[in-house]
Amino acid sequence: MKPPAPEPLPHPVVDNHCHLDIDRGDDPAVPVEEALAAAAAVGVTRIVQIGCDLPGARWAVEAAASYDALVAGVALHPNEAPRLADLDEALVEIEALAGAHDRVRAVGETGLDYFRTGEEGRAVQEESFRRHIDIAKRLDKTLVIHDRDAHDDVLRVLDSEGTPDRWVMHCFSGDALLARECLSRGAYLSFAGTVTFKNASALREALAVAPLDRVLVETDAPYLTPTPHRGQVNGSYLVPITVRAMAAVRGDDLGELCAAIDGNTEAAFGGGW
């Protein structure tokens, strides 16, 4: 059973990281029209659809071209890169997709993941990450970074390659110190349902130190469903739960936080959608 819809937000916000095409276990992906309508009904009026492999990237581009409420990000997820027989060929297609349509606003999610990929795949992950950074910079796209158990190396690669003009730490998972390190390099910090988890005190401390003009919200749906629905299938329509938790942590007025998130997302990903 999917969680009930929360109370609508007082101002529209954007879910800046979602996977509308991904099934979760025995739960098939919700039809796009239904997902968009449910989200809009609670004030989540726009979504960034992220493709994590070649089929997902193609789907994201097609969806963004078909629905006014969507824009796309395309990339090879760091766990996907070591599985590929020909990384170069795959990256050629990612670059072509990234440059094919104005509604493709981001290169991502790319980055490093040391939780699911062991030592044997890390060199390929890093090569893929560096190549994605280069694509984002050359095409003037927003870079969306996946960082799991790899904070120091993510910063090392970014410092080596140089950051694009706009970049987002997707599902920020560090503490206040990492937040400051990312912010000093120009990052937007995107917070997911994890900020509501009981054991996420360090993450809430990071949220508290982030300037209002650098905060974003996301679902990473169908994953990372916020408390009290943790473990169930997530969707963009549950963003209000996370935003209310964020406002409580920061001491922000809810409407002001929503307006800031909406404006910040436009600054990070561009407007006109």
Side-chain angles (χ1 to χ4, degrees):
M1 180 183 296
K2 71 176 185 178
E7 182 181 350
L9 293 169
H11 186 286
V13 299
V14 183
D15 176 1
N16 85 93
H17 196 110
C18 187
H19 306 283
L20 292 166
D21 57 322
I22 293 181
D23 300 332
R24 180 173 165 179
D26 295 329
D27 295 291
V30 175
V32 176
E33 294 87 350
E34 181 181 332
L36 294 177
V42 296
V44 184
T45 55
R46 296 180 291 173
I47 296 170
V48 182
Q49 166 65 24
I50 299 293
C52 291
D53 54 20
L54 289 178
R58 296 170 192 138
W59 192 95
V61 174
E62 292 175 4
S66 301
Y67 297 96
D68 291 342
L70 298 180
V71 294
V74 298
L76 305 173
H77 191 282
N79 290 324
E80 173 71 7
R83 303 186 186 119
L84 294 169
D86 192 333
L87 178 64
D88 288 338
E89 181 179 351
L91 285 167
V92 167
E93 182 169 353
I94 290 295
E95 180 167 353
L97 289 168
H101 202 294
D102 177 62
R103 296 184 71 82
V104 181
R105 301 294 177 84
V107 171
E109 61 190 282
T110 181
L112 302 174
D113 188 318
Y114 293 171
F115 180 77
R116 297 194 183 280
T117 297
E119 291 281 355
E120 70 285 352
R122 291 181 182 178
V124 176
Q125 276 197 359
E126 183 168 322
E127 171 63 17
S128 178
F129 185 22
R130 290 180 184 275
R131 298 276 294 279
H132 281 87
I133 294 170
D134 176 63
I135 293 170
K137 291 165 71 174
R138 286 189 290 103
L139 298 184
D140 191 28
K141 302 292 183 178
T142 304
L143 181 71
V144 176
I145 294 178
H146 172 105
D147 164 24
R148 189 165 187 185
D149 296 348
H151 304 328
D152 291 344
D153 282 348
V154 165
L155 293 179
R156 174 180 57 79
V157 172
L158 285 171
D159 288 344
S160 172
E161 296 294 324
T163 57
D165 290 339
R166 303 171 308 283
W167 65 284
V168 176
M169 284 294 275
H170 143 63
C171 189
F172 185 80
S173 59
D175 57 13
L177 177 61
L178 181 67
R180 291 188 177 98
E181 290 287 350
C182 294
L183 291 164
S184 72
R185 293 165 171 83
Y188 290 89
L189 305 184
S190 180
F191 293 87
T194 45
V195 78
T196 70
F197 293 178
K198 183 178 180 180
N199 64 348
S201 58
L203 181 56
R204 287 186 283 274
E205 291 170 3
L207 171 61
V209 304
L212 184 60
D213 66 353
R214 289 283 145 177
V215 174
L216 307 177
V217 71
E218 65 172 276
T219 55
D220 200 24
Y223 312 110
L224 304 182
T225 311
T227 302
H229 307 296
R230 187 176 180 181
Q232 296 179 258
V233 176
N234 201 4
S236 296
Y237 77 100
L238 295 178
V239 159
I241 298 174
T242 302
V243 175
R244 286 188 167 89
M246 292 168 65
V249 168
R250 294 175 53 84
D252 290 337
D253 173 81
L254 179 61
E256 290 179 0
L257 177 60
C258 291
I261 288 171
D262 200 43
N264 296 345
T265 313
E266 286 224 350
F269 291 91
W273 56 293

